Amino acid sequence: MPLVPITELRRVSEEVLGACGVPNVHAELIADTIVDAHRSGRGTHGISRLPVYVRKIRQGLMNPESPITLIKDSAAISVIDANHGFGQVAAMEAMRLCMEKAESLGIGVVGVRHSNNLGVAGYYARVATDQGMIGCVLSNSAPAIAPTGGRRPLFGTNPLAIGFPAGSNGIPIILDMATSVAARGKIRLAVKTGERIPLDWALDSEGNPTDDPIAALKGTMLPIGGPKGYGLSLVIDILAGLLPGAAFAGDVRPLNHPDAFSDYGHFIIAIKLSHFIPKSEYVPAIDHLIRKIRDTVDVSEIWLPGERSEKQKVLCRDSVWLNETIVSEFDDMASDISVKVSFIAK
């Protein structure tokens, strides 16, 4: 597997995006989300998405300039139109608006319509926690999960991230999860690498458990907790899709759809912590909670939500390993648009 320096991963990502007409400031943001995905162990949201972006831009299915239009605005709530641009740009602008509102009102809520996949939802929750705020990010996505008792996918794996500012250990608590047992991106990656998947991830089109990723993509993902996961998927579809005016009820298209806009929706919230509790009280309180969690075991280590990813980032500060199949696909795409790549296998 190629070991790729972070600087090279960032440079190539920015150049590919720039070559497709993405403004520099947006290319830097998107590249940062790609780098963060790989460093935190979520490579399915990384450079493997770039060939899809390039194709969609060329076919007029994604707006490289990612213009944002303010549709509705009030003191605490806004709705913005992403105009089929990058989900990363829309999500960051939504979080910025949320934090601006929360700074004075204590809370800000922004709905996003006509967007695309935003990458790792926890990335934007972390933006809020770094400013001493609680961040909540919801997004709907293309059909992958059938309602409990149904056999046809209707709801996406709909990511959910909620972040809380750090205590004295400096690591925020960030729950970042999909409503399926496994992320759909892991199944797509298994297709590319020729690997099998665990039998408890998905059902085929006949409703049978399958370890074939191709059959899984034609069937339905299994929701977490059975009907509870289905219910959570439904709620996110309402909040992130129906309310902001994005696609919902199975009408969201996959990011890699060949001839249609994806029309994802997002629902983003920022809450200023000090409107509930001063920082001088919050830090010792969250430290107490963490100690109580650690004290529930004598030997094995308990990970807090987001902690493993933060420690992974430390290990991958300078470089990350990339899958050879993904690198080969990426190299072909980069060459096609005259971007030089120097990923070297070790």
Side-chain angles (χ1 to χ4, degrees), residues 82-149:
N83 293 292
H84 303 294
F86 280 87
Q88 295 92 330
V89 175
M92 184 61 79
E93 175 61 15
M95 183 56 80
R96 185 195 68 77
L97 278 171
C98 284
M99 293 191 298
E100 183 180 283
K101 294 175 183 296
E103 190 62 42
S104 58
L105 298 172
I107 188 170
V109 182
V110 175
V112 183
R113 64 176 65 166
H114 306 326
S115 186
N116 281 283
N117 186 283
L118 48 71
V120 178
Y123 179 93
Y124 312 96
R126 178 64 186 266
V127 170
T129 63
D130 285 348
Q131 298 301 316
M133 296 187 182
I134 296 169
C136 180
V137 180
L138 311 177
S139 180
N140 68 356
S141 54
I145 294 175
T148 299

Side-chain angles (χ1 to χ4, degrees), residues 265-328:
H266 317 310
F267 192 78
I268 297 178
I269 306 170
I271 301 171
K272 190 171 182 181
L273 200 64
S274 61
H275 278 243
F276 287 93
I277 182 174
K279 185 177 180 180
S280 60
E281 294 181 17
Y282 173 80
V283 171
I286 204 73
D287 285 348
H288 173 71
L289 174 59
I290 293 172
R291 282 195 303 270
K292 296 285 282 187
I293 292 172
R294 305 283 195 212
D295 288 344
T296 60
V297 293
D298 298 322
V299 180
S300 61
E301 185 174 11
I302 290 182
W303 295 95
L304 291 161
E307 188 176 21
R308 193 189 299 269
S309 294
E310 288 300 313
K311 293 193 175 182
Q312 180 71 21
K313 289 180 186 179
V314 174
L315 296 175
C316 299
R317 180 184 292 110
D318 300 318
S319 59
V320 293
W321 295 99
L322 298 183
N323 180 277
E324 291 180 1
T325 302
I326 298 300
V327 169
S328 177

Side-chain angles (χ1 to χ4, degrees), residues 5-224:
I6 292 298
T7 52
E8 176 68 0
L9 181 62
R10 188 182 300 277
R11 178 194 67 79
V12 171
S13 297
E14 290 182 7
E15 288 191 13
V16 166
L17 292 165
C20 295
V22 177
N24 289 342
V25 64
H26 293 168
E28 290 173 1
L29 166 63
I30 298 163
D32 193 58
T33 66
I34 289 172
V35 168
D36 185 79
H38 284 286
R39 288 186 61 215
S40 61
R42 296 184 174 92
T44 52
H45 294 75
I47 66 163
S48 62
R49 299 282 176 87
L50 281 172
V52 178
Y53 297 153
V54 172
R55 177 187 63 78
K56 291 191 71 167
I57 289 172
R58 285 179 165 179
Q59 294 180 338
L61 300 176
M62 179 180 280
N63 190 331
E65 296 184 357
S66 300
I68 301 295
T69 305
L70 185 63
I71 302 299
K72 298 179 181 178
D73 191 36
S74 64
I77 301 174
S78 294
V79 176
I80 62 175
D81 191 325
N83 293 292
H84 303 294
F86 280 87
Q88 295 92 330
V89 175
M92 184 61 79
E93 175 61 15
M95 183 56 80
R96 185 195 68 77
L97 278 171
C98 284
M99 293 191 298
E100 183 180 283
K101 294 175 183 296
E103 190 62 42
S104 58
L105 298 172
I107 188 170
V109 182
V110 175
V112 183
R113 64 176 65 166
H114 306 326
S115 186
N116 281 283
N117 186 283
L118 48 71
V120 178
Y123 179 93
Y124 312 96
R126 178 64 186 266
V127 170
T129 63
D130 285 348
Q131 298 301 316
M133 296 187 182
I134 296 169
C136 180
V137 180
L138 311 177
S139 180
N140 68 356
S141 54
I145 294 175
T148 299
R151 292 175 59 180
R152 181 171 61 85
L154 184 66
F155 301 112
T157 57
N158 297 356
L160 157 68
I162 303 176
F164 299 88
S168 58
N169 67 354
I171 301 177
I173 295 175
I174 299 180
L175 173 67
D176 186 348
M177 54 173 274
T179 55
S180 55
V181 173
R184 195 169 176 83
K186 291 183 178 180
I187 295 182
R188 292 195 185 98
L189 181 60
V191 171
K192 293 181 179 181
T193 59
E195 298 175 331
R196 312 302 286 186
I197 62 172
L199 282 170
D200 62 351
W201 280 14
L203 305 177
D204 62 21
S205 58
E206 299 299 318
N208 302 310
T210 181
D211 63 357
D212 180 350
I214 296 176
L217 291 177
K218 293 178 180 178
T220 179
M221 303 283 293
L222 289 171
I224 54 172

